[in-house]
Amino acid sequence: MSKLVIVESPAKAKNIKGYLGKGYDVVASMGHVRDLPSARLSVDIEHDFTPKYAIIKGKENFVKELQKKADKSDYVYLATDPDREGEAISWHLATILGLDMNDKNRVTFNEITKHGVEQGMEHPRSIDIDLVDAQQARRILDRLIGYKLSPFISQKIRRGLSAGRVQSVALRLVVDREEEIRAFKPEEYWSIDAKFTNPPGKKTFAAALNSKNGKKVKITCKEESDQILSDLEGAEYVVTAVKKGTRKKSPTPPFITSTLQQEASRRLSFQARRTMKAAQELYEGVDVEGLGTVGLITYMRTDSLRISEEARAAGNQFILDQYGEKYLPKKPRYFKSKGNVQDGHEAIRPSMPGVTPAQVKSSLTSDQYKIYKLVWERFIASLMENCLQETVRAEITAGDYTFNASGYTVKFDGFTALYEESKDDSSGDTSAPLPEIKTGDTLRLKSLLGNQHFTQPPARYTEASLTKALEENGVGRPSTYVTITSTIVAREYVKREGKQFVPTELGEAVIKLLKDKMPNIVNVKYTSKMEEDLDKIDSGEKDYKDMIRHYYDDFEKPLEEAK
């Protein structure tokens, strides 16, 4: 028997062919083969929003070849990516090739390993029409809004402009943030910072003025600061309280698409597109010395935090072998995904947890290695024991004034032996360990300074923090974050200054017009509700034509008035 397997990319086709062996022909569709032609609206509004699909220009010969191959095959498997977009591609392929929609011909691979491919082939199912409808609803809504809104803003602002359903909200966030920064008025404040030693130990430690006669001190100018420094001249500094405690620090969950993009941006200064390119290559498979061609990570477009028990067991075994029993929690840790996620997926994790970054480094490109190391370390750390810290907080009194000093020492490093998430700002916990001090100790003052500060405006968005804001607001989905951010830059609505996004005059003009005339289009909550409704189509709770009709009516009337 000859079997035809259709996947999306040539790299994946080659690797899957290697696992399936004789009797299988594996071909790549190179993404979508059918779509809404861009030269016209391609949606029949009068007839219940029927989409008018056509073969994508330049793919006609490929489709003919595919039809010939399908005709000669005893069976056709549709093995496109395991998400909404992949489901829609499979549905389009089934339509073009005349396959039975009820047939169990749809297979998905969460990882491109021998085991992952065998698992997928052993569990074929029929095409999930709810998933397809959710993709169609998204595509049709985006087309309707983009096609109708773009001429309006082109006519009012500048020829050739375009607007999109999700991009407009992303642009609004950037513009709103810029307005906040402009409106921000910095306020002056001062701190009184001391450095002490506690003889006989010579170790210096820092403390900051906190209160006077039990009331919190707020210093707004140099005169007030100088007055306090004058009050403290010749004062004796005595430790009046020492409070010790312990705190637990837990690891972050394994990556989902948005957190991988954010961490790669913070840690590696990678733009999202670069991160996803390396992740895609690692998923589709690379030739690794000693292992052959293998996919090193699971599917990289996901918003689920679930991991398979098999992967957990492999990760736990690695931790036991490398770190010992005390680094493994007594009770396994489960992370809960937020909101409405496609939980058939797993989080992004190494497909073979026992394969370390060092083992594969020589077989990978620099970008692939850096992303694999990030994914692997984050996954293994997520299975490890908490970090335990011993905290010390001391109160130091000088006359009416009280200073606070705090620090911690690591009692047990736990997961931090391998990995800690980086932060967007550097204002994290920087407290160093305190030397041994006890109540009643008289400290030696090394320095006492008044330091001027100004309150800071909110930071401009970076690609990472904008993705985080979109995700937190329920706007966009794992497969669209890269497109959203790159589109607003490509349209010159936003420019990059270093890592930061700064709106252009054009971007601000577009948002001003839309806020004024089409407020729903740039309303974060409204767009988030639309995303929720699209997710309800996924799960079969909503009919996709009803959903489109509702939002189109909501959009069409204000647009006519605006015109």
Side-chain angles (χ1 to χ4, degrees):
M1 280 183 81
S2 68
K3 294 170 182 176
L4 177 67
V5 180
I6 306 171
V7 298
E8 282 180 49
S9 84
K12 212 160 130 183
K14 178 173 163 274
N15 298 337
I16 290 167
K17 172 87 178 106
Y19 294 128
L20 292 176
K22 278 186 180 164
Y24 287 92
D25 186 12
V26 187
V27 296
S29 72
M30 311 290 286
H32 277 276
V33 287
R34 216 169 64 135
D35 198 7
L36 302 172
S38 56
R40 52 189 183 276
L41 179 60
S42 305
V43 177
D44 190 344
I45 296 168
E46 303 304 316
H47 294 90
D48 216 11
F49 301 97
T50 303
K52 296 177 176 177
Y53 296 113
I55 304 294
I56 292 168
K57 228 177 178 166
K59 287 206 169 179
E60 298 85 355
N61 289 339
F62 167 76
V63 168
K64 279 179 193 157
E65 285 301 309
L66 200 56
Q67 282 166 330
K68 279 183 202 164
K69 280 182 186 261
D71 289 343
K72 285 181 192 164
S73 304
D74 296 307
Y75 207 80
V76 178
Y77 287 101
L78 304 166
T80 50
D81 286 351
D83 58 11
R84 248 183 218 149
E85 216 60 38
E87 206 68 24
I89 294 172
S90 280
W91 177 74
H92 283 296
L93 286 165
T95 308
I96 291 165
L97 301 175
L99 305 179
D100 183 347
M101 291 294 171
N102 297 314
D103 221 351
K104 291 196 170 178
N105 54 13
R106 171 78 172 119
V107 291
T108 56
F109 310 126
N110 187 45
E111 56 188 54
I112 311 300
T113 57
K114 189 166 176 50
H115 172 74
V117 170
E118 283 170 355
Q119 280 282 93
M121 294 304 288
E122 278 167 24
H123 299 95
R125 57 171 173 79
S126 51
I127 289 170
D128 185 334
I129 292 299
D130 289 335
L131 266 187
V132 174
D133 284 349
Q135 191 274 346
Q136 288 199 92
R138 218 178 207 87
R139 188 75 191 90
I140 293 166
L141 266 177
D142 285 346
R143 172 55 63 92
L144 290 169
I145 291 171
Y147 216 84
K148 299 261 183 178
L149 198 55
S150 299
F152 170 64
I153 63 166
S154 294
Q155 191 186 2
K156 300 297 166 200
I157 297 173
R158 192 178 86 188
R159 277 183 68 181
L161 295 184
S162 53
R165 182 178 65 86
V166 180
Q167 291 94 321
S168 299
V169 173
L171 177 59
R172 186 204 173 137
L173 290 173
V174 176
V175 170
D176 282 359
R177 178 59 56 89
E178 198 65 22
E179 285 172 1
E180 275 179 69
I181 293 167
R182 279 185 204 136
F184 183 81
K185 290 188 169 50
E187 284 180 19
E188 182 183 6
Y189 69 99
W190 288 68
S191 62
I192 306 285
D193 302 306
K195 285 204 171 144
F196 299 110
T197 55
N198 185 24
K202 289 282 186 284
K203 196 170 185 316
T204 307
F205 67 96
L209 177 64
N210 179 268
S211 59
K212 180 182 182 182
N213 295 324
K215 275 192 177 170
K216 199 160 175 61
V217 171
K218 192 180 175 196
I219 314 165
T220 58
C221 61
K222 188 175 189 303
E223 288 71 29
E224 289 174 14
S225 169
D226 288 346
Q227 181 59 56
I228 293 169
L229 292 175
S230 164
D231 292 350
L232 287 166
E233 261 179 47
E236 188 178 53
Y237 294 87
V238 180
V239 178
T240 45
V242 176
K243 192 178 175 191
K244 292 188 175 181
T246 54
R247 68 179 174 205
K248 270 193 308 198
K249 194 174 175 188
S250 299
T252 38
F255 285 124
I256 56 176
T257 308
S258 59
T259 51
L260 174 62
Q261 289 173 15
Q262 288 159 44
E263 186 72 341
S265 169
R266 286 190 293 249
R267 203 172 269 237
L268 308 170
S269 293
F270 279 19
Q271 285 181 17
R273 196 172 285 283
R274 183 176 175 188
T275 299
M276 293 310 282
K277 180 179 182 288
Q280 178 112 21
E281 290 160 358
L282 290 167
Y283 163 67
E284 289 183 349
V286 278
D287 193 3
V288 178
E289 203 181 322
L291 288 174
T293 301
V294 66
L296 286 174
I297 66 169
T298 53
Y299 191 55
M300 65 290 150
R301 280 193 279 275
T302 176
D303 48 9
S304 167
L305 292 175
R306 192 180 66 78
I307 59 166
S308 71
E309 289 306 310
E310 206 176 349
R312 183 187 295 279
N316 287 348
Q317 193 55 54
F318 178 85
I319 294 162
L320 272 176
D321 296 344
Q322 293 299 312
Y323 292 92
E325 208 172 319
K326 63 180 182 174
Y327 281 86
L328 209 54
K330 305 268 181 292
K331 199 173 156 209
R333 186 184 292 108
Y334 289 88
F335 295 100
K336 198 169 169 3
S337 302
K338 269 195 284 189
N340 194 338
V341 301
Q342 293 179 310
D343 216 41
H345 290 175
E346 286 189 60
I348 305 169
R349 61 163 178 84
S351 52
M352 296 167 290
V355 176
T356 67
Q359 281 171 265
V360 295
K361 188 174 183 180
S362 61
S363 305
L364 303 182
T365 65
S366 168
D367 280 12
Q368 288 169 352
Y369 168 71
K370 285 172 181 169
I371 296 297
Y372 182 65
K373 186 171 186 285
L374 215 51
V375 168
W376 184 86
E377 287 181 352
R378 174 91 159 210
F379 171 72
I380 297 292
S382 77
L383 300 174
M384 291 170 82
E385 186 55 278
N386 294 326
C387 165
L388 274 186
Q389 297 172 343
E390 273 190 343
T391 59
V392 183
R393 188 176 168 81
E395 279 186 3
I396 300 146
T397 302
D400 296 337
Y401 294 97
T402 305
F403 286 75
N404 282 350
S406 62
Y408 70 87
T409 48
V410 174
K411 195 177 176 184
F412 175 62
D413 56 0
F415 74 94
T416 64
L418 178 64
Y419 170 90
E420 269 189 275
E421 185 179 44
S422 48
K423 296 278 179 276
D424 272 323
D425 55 33
S426 53
S427 63
D429 191 349
T430 54
S431 53
L434 291 185
E436 195 53 53
I437 51 174
K438 57 188 187 300
T439 306
D441 282 354
T442 300
L443 304 176
R444 181 180 293 163
L445 180 70
K446 295 280 284 183
S447 67
L448 186 68
L449 294 170
N451 288 313
Q452 184 186 36
H453 310 272
F454 290 94
T455 54
Q456 295 297 309
R460 281 180 174 140
Y461 283 112
T462 59
E463 190 171 38
S465 61
L466 183 60
T467 298
K468 189 178 181 182
L470 290 169
E471 185 198 22
E472 282 172 352
N473 283 299
V475 174
R477 285 296 174 263
S479 56
T480 60
Y481 296 134
V482 175
T483 324
I484 295 165
T485 51
S486 56
T487 301
I488 57 175
V489 174
R491 287 181 179 161
E492 295 181 357
Y493 294 156
V494 162
K495 60 176 190 269
R496 292 180 194 268
E497 282 185 9
K499 278 190 180 184
Q500 296 184 328
F501 280 161
V502 184
T504 60
E505 207 175 329
L506 181 62
E508 294 198 39
V510 167
I511 289 302
K512 187 175 183 303
L513 177 69
L514 292 178
K515 265 186 182 176
D516 190 29
K517 302 292 181 196
M518 300 285 298
N520 275 350
I521 286 293
V522 286
N523 183 316
V524 177
K525 284 197 169 70
Y526 184 83
T527 306
S528 169
K529 173 77 172 74
M530 204 187 287
E531 295 281 5
E532 273 176 36
D533 286 346
L534 285 164
D535 287 343
K536 283 179 181 167
I537 299 168
D538 259 13
S539 51
E541 290 170 62
K542 257 190 191 311
D543 176 78
Y544 93 102
K545 293 282 178 82
D546 288 347
M547 191 261 178
I548 293 171
R549 194 176 300 110
H550 167 73
Y551 282 102
Y552 185 69
D553 287 349
D554 248 14
F555 164 74
E556 181 70 351
K557 286 166 194 160
L559 180 64
E560 287 312 310
E561 283 170 27
K563 282 179 181 173

